């Protein structure tokens, strides 16, 4: 019986050796090509199963067993179908070579273990093996081994199963569970080690200083960037030491006070810290400190991430004076920042953004859908410029704008204007920077109105309020061109106040200005059509442009103007008329008498000259000159 125990222990030893070799060769096997890796595993498991079969243990007198089923099933389960099949074939071939009673039952048991291991591999290959899977595998292999005894003659298995089969099944189950658990544990250890290597590589490659300290302030881990920041040479030089070993006492004490305060609060905190080295150099750090906790939730240290913001601080100092000067102008220009993910759910927003939308600030929280926010903005009367029935179209336009780089303006019901600068992110999200541009909008509107006013003043005569000659000349050219294109007519009236210089000499220039204003007003009010244009053409000379008016129509208007001025009854002692009167010249641009605006103006001026020559206070129009036939010399006959 002692020999049997020795053989059983030998089987277990073979399994242990197999697991040890598998463990030590795992990383090297993973470096091989897929074919070589499968071949190496198959060779390893085949040698292991042969070793088990060479060391059988005696269950009863003349009845031997081994743990080959365990290794065959595990080879297929962990190594894959090819490894399992090769191992099964090697074991089967060796069993056939051994021969003896029940060899075919052994072959069937080997095949069953191979099949069970292979099936198990396909079941767990997408998610990885678990301990529960190993237990099920062990139970299946043990049960299959017992079922194999039923292939023996009934006289044999009726006695063997209770006395031999069940002990063997128990050994197979236990050995499979133990070996499987050990392999899973090793796989997890290897995965954890690989993950740790990856994390360490990331940790060391970080450009920003990152370190971990225990509760007393001693360094537990640090990356090279931390060593460079602290002028420590290497990261290993920091381990087990504190800030007091590298910084002046005052600086180190300040850092330690911050650490104690943050660990007491128990929450991650971002702060800015003044940095002073022992060599006198200094700078600024933007620091994020987060408490480290053990599995019981107790704070056992602190994780610190530093960023050197010395350049930023220096720049802030340089522009501090300019910032003070601009503080008043920038008081109402605080920007709001909001980030939406690819599904258009709010990821982050700052307080300035919420302040821009006070009526919906309560729903603009992380996780909120943009569509819901927009609908509530309409329902609560925050968004302006969206008519009833256009909500869906507006929402689609907002979504489309977030897909591309660009700017858009938003108007609110309370009269504010917001400017949004939209920048799509690499992951399909959208980042928007929003500014209140209400003041800028108002300033732009005021500037436009001022420019319009200046334009009006530039085209208006300051004394009479009529348009000036420059504006009149531009309109004359435009109207004559329009009439030429469309085959219509344009009438032109030139008005001159009779003997205006004697009026000024007699009554003074202020009275002359008042007279000119009165005549201008009378002229303007006499013309009834909106399209008619009255202008101050010269000193005491006025002009009127009458679109779509023939020469006869212009004469009628001129007569009405002359009579209206006469009815003003402005006393003029220097005129034989006894009152202020006007002389009027009329011309017209008519088809087919084609001519330009210069000709039209020349003719009106000639007509005005004719009115003055006719005694003033009258209207004359330009007429084509009458051609007089030359007299013939009559020669009489004698």
């Amino acid at each position: 019986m002692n020999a049997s125990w020795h053989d059983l222990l030998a089987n277990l030893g073979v399994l242990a050796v197999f697991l040890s070799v598998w463990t030590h060769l795992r990383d090297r096997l993973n470096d091989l090509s897929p074919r070589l890796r499968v071949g190496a595993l198959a060779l390893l498991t085949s040698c292991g199963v042969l070793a088990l079969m060479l060391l059988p243990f005696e269950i009863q007198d003349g009845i031997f067993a081994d743990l080959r089923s365990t290794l065959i099933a595990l080879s297929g389960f962990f190594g894959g179908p090819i490894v399992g099949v090769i191992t099964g074939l090697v074991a089967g071939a060796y069993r056939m070579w051994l021969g003896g009673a029940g060899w075919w039952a052994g072959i069937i048991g080997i095949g069953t273990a191979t099949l069970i291991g292979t099936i198990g591999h396909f079941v767990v290959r997408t998610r990885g093996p678990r301990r529960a899977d190993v237990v099920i595998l062990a139970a299946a292999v043990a049960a299959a081994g017992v079922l194999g005894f039923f292939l023996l003659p009934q006289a044999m298995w009726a006695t063997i199963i209770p006395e031999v089969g069940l002990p063997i099944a128990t050994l197979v189950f236990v050995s499979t569970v133990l070996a499987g658990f050990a392999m899973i544990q090793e796989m997890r250890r290897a995965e954890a080690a690989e993950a740790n290597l990856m994390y360490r590589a990331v940790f060391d490659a970080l450009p920003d200083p990152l370190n971990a300290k225990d509760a007393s302030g001693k360094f537990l881990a640090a990356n090279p960037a931390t060593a460079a920041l602290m002028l420590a040479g290497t990261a290993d030089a920091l381990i087990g030491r504190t800030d007091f070993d590298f910084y002046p006492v005052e600086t180190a004490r300040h850092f330690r006070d911050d650490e104690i305060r943050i660990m007491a609060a128990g929450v991650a905190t971002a702060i800015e810290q003044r940095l002073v080295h022992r060599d006198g150099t200094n700078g600024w750090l933007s620091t994020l400190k987060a408490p480290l906790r053990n599995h019981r939730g107790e704070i056992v240290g602190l994780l610190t991430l530093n960023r050197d913001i010395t350049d930023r601080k220096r720049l802030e100092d340089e522009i501090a004076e300019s910032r003070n000067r601009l503080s008043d102008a920038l008081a109402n220009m605080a920007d709001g920042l909001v980030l939406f993910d690819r599904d258009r759910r709010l990821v982050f927003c700052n307080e300035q953004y919420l302040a821009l939308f006070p009526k919906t600030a309560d729903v603009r929280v992380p996780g909120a859908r943009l569509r819901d926010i927009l609908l509530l903005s309409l329902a609560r009367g925050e968004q302006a410029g969206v008519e009833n029935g256009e909500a869906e179209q507006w929402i689609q336009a907002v979504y489309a704008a977030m897909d591309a780089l660009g700017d858009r303006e938003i108007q609110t019901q309370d009269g504010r204007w917001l400017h949004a600068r939209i920048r799509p992110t690499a992951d399909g999200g959208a980042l928007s920077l929003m500014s209140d541009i209400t003041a800028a909008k108002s300033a732009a509107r005021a500037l436009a109105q001022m420019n319009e006013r200046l334009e009006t003043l530039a085209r208006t005569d300051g004394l009479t309020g009529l348009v000036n000659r420059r504006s009149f000349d531009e309109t004359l050219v435009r109207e004559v061109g329009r009439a030429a294109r469309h085959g219509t007519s344009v009438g032109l009236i030139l008005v001159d106040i009779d003997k205006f210089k004697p009026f000024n000499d007699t009554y003074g220039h202020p009275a002359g200005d008042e007279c000119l204003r009165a005549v201008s007003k009378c002229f303007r009010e006499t013309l009834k059509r909106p399209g008619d244009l009255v202008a101050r053409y010269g000193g005491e000379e006025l002009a009127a442009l009458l679109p779509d008016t023939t020469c006869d129509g212009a004469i009628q208007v001129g007569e009405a103007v002359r009579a209206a001025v006469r009815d003003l009854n402005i006393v003029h002692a220097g005129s034989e008329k006894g009152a202020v009167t006007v002389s009027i010249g009329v011309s017209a641009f008519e088809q087919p008498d084609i001519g330009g605006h210069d000709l039209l103006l020349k003719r009106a001026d000639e007509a005005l000259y004719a009115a003055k020559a006719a005694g003033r206070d009258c209207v004359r129009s330009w007429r084509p000159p009458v051609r007089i036939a030359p007299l013939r010399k009559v020669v009489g006959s004698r």
Side-chain angles (χ1 to χ4, degrees), residues 243-293:
D243 289 332
F244 288 92
D245 296 317
F246 299 93
Y247 294 122
V249 174
E250 184 178 351
T251 300
R253 181 177 295 111
H254 179 69
F255 287 174
R256 183 58 184 163
D257 290 342
D258 288 336
E259 293 172 354
I260 293 173
R261 175 175 54 83
I262 293 171
M263 284 191 292
V267 295
T269 305
I271 57 176
E272 291 185 355
Q273 296 178 313
R274 179 76 174 181
L275 174 66
V276 179
H277 291 290
R278 287 181 173 176
D279 60 3
T281 58
N282 60 78
W284 281 91
L285 296 177
S286 175
T287 303
L288 175 65
K289 295 183 179 294
L292 285 175
R293 301 177 185 271

Side-chain angles (χ1 to χ4, degrees), residues 59-379:
I59 299 295
Q60 288 186 357
D61 294 338
I63 300 178
F64 293 86
D66 55 55
L67 299 180
R68 61 188 171 204
S69 298
T70 294
L71 188 53
I72 293 172
L74 292 177
S75 65
F77 186 75
F78 288 101
I82 297 177
V83 175
V85 170
I86 292 175
T87 304
L89 290 175
V90 170
Y94 182 69
R95 182 64 187 88
M96 290 179 63
W97 179 79
L98 289 177
W103 66 269
W104 48 276
I107 295 297
I108 293 176
I110 292 171
T112 304
T114 303
L115 180 62
I116 291 173
T118 302
I119 293 174
H121 174 80
F122 284 110
V123 170
V124 302
R125 64 174 178 174
T126 57
R127 57 176 174 82
R130 303 169 183 168
R131 293 190 175 184
D133 300 324
V134 171
V135 173
I136 296 173
L137 176 73
V141 174
V146 173
L147 294 177
F149 285 104
F150 286 97
L151 299 176
L152 299 173
Q154 184 174 0
M156 295 179 62
W157 60 257
T159 303
I160 292 177
I161 289 178
E163 298 180 0
V164 178
L166 294 179
I168 293 177
T170 301
L171 288 173
V172 170
F173 176 81
V174 172
S175 62
T176 303
V177 168
L178 293 177
F181 281 6
M183 295 185 72
I184 288 179
Q185 185 65 27
E186 170 57 23
M187 291 174 63
R188 292 178 178 176
R189 184 205 61 78
E191 291 172 356
E194 184 176 355
N196 286 336
L197 288 175
M198 180 182 66
Y199 296 149
R200 184 67 195 189
V202 173
F203 181 73
D204 289 341
L206 282 176
D208 293 329
L210 179 64
N211 63 78
K213 297 179 181 178
D214 62 16
S216 65
K218 293 181 179 180
F219 285 95
L220 299 174
N223 65 352
T226 302
L229 174 69
M230 300 181 66
L231 307 179
T234 65
D236 292 337
L238 296 171
I239 306 304
R241 304 173 74 181
T242 69
D243 289 332
F244 288 92
D245 296 317
F246 299 93
Y247 294 122
V249 174
E250 184 178 351
T251 300
R253 181 177 295 111
H254 179 69
F255 287 174
R256 183 58 184 163
D257 290 342
D258 288 336
E259 293 172 354
I260 293 173
R261 175 175 54 83
I262 293 171
M263 284 191 292
V267 295
T269 305
I271 57 176
E272 291 185 355
Q273 296 178 313
R274 179 76 174 181
L275 174 66
V276 179
H277 291 290
R278 287 181 173 176
D279 60 3
T281 58
N282 60 78
W284 281 91
L285 296 177
S286 175
T287 303
L288 175 65
K289 295 183 179 294
L292 285 175
R293 301 177 185 271
N294 59 18
H295 65 281
R296 293 187 297 272
E298 300 169 345
I299 295 177
V300 295
L302 202 66
L303 182 67
T304 302
L305 175 65
N306 294 310
R307 176 164 294 175
D308 190 337
I309 58 171
T310 304
D311 291 339
R312 193 194 77 186
K313 281 290 186 178
R314 185 178 296 113
L315 181 61
E316 289 175 355
D317 291 340
E318 292 174 356
I319 65 175
E321 184 178 356
S322 298
R323 178 179 297 171
N324 291 335
R325 295 174 182 173
L326 295 175
S327 59
D328 291 340
L330 297 176
N332 297 319
M333 297 181 65
D335 290 338
L337 182 68
V338 60
L339 175 64
F340 289 92
D341 62 16
R342 62 185 306 169
D343 298 323
R344 297 301 176 255
R345 289 185 179 274
L346 194 148
V347 176
F348 167 80
C349 67
N350 60 8
E351 292 298 327
Q352 290 85 348
Y353 171 77
L354 297 177
L356 294 175
F357 301 97
K359 292 185 178 181
T360 55
D362 60 314
V363 298
R364 296 177 185 266
V365 295
R369 295 195 310 165
L370 175 60
R371 180 181 184 83
D372 296 336
I373 295 174
L374 296 177
L375 289 174
L376 280 173
S377 181
L378 291 176

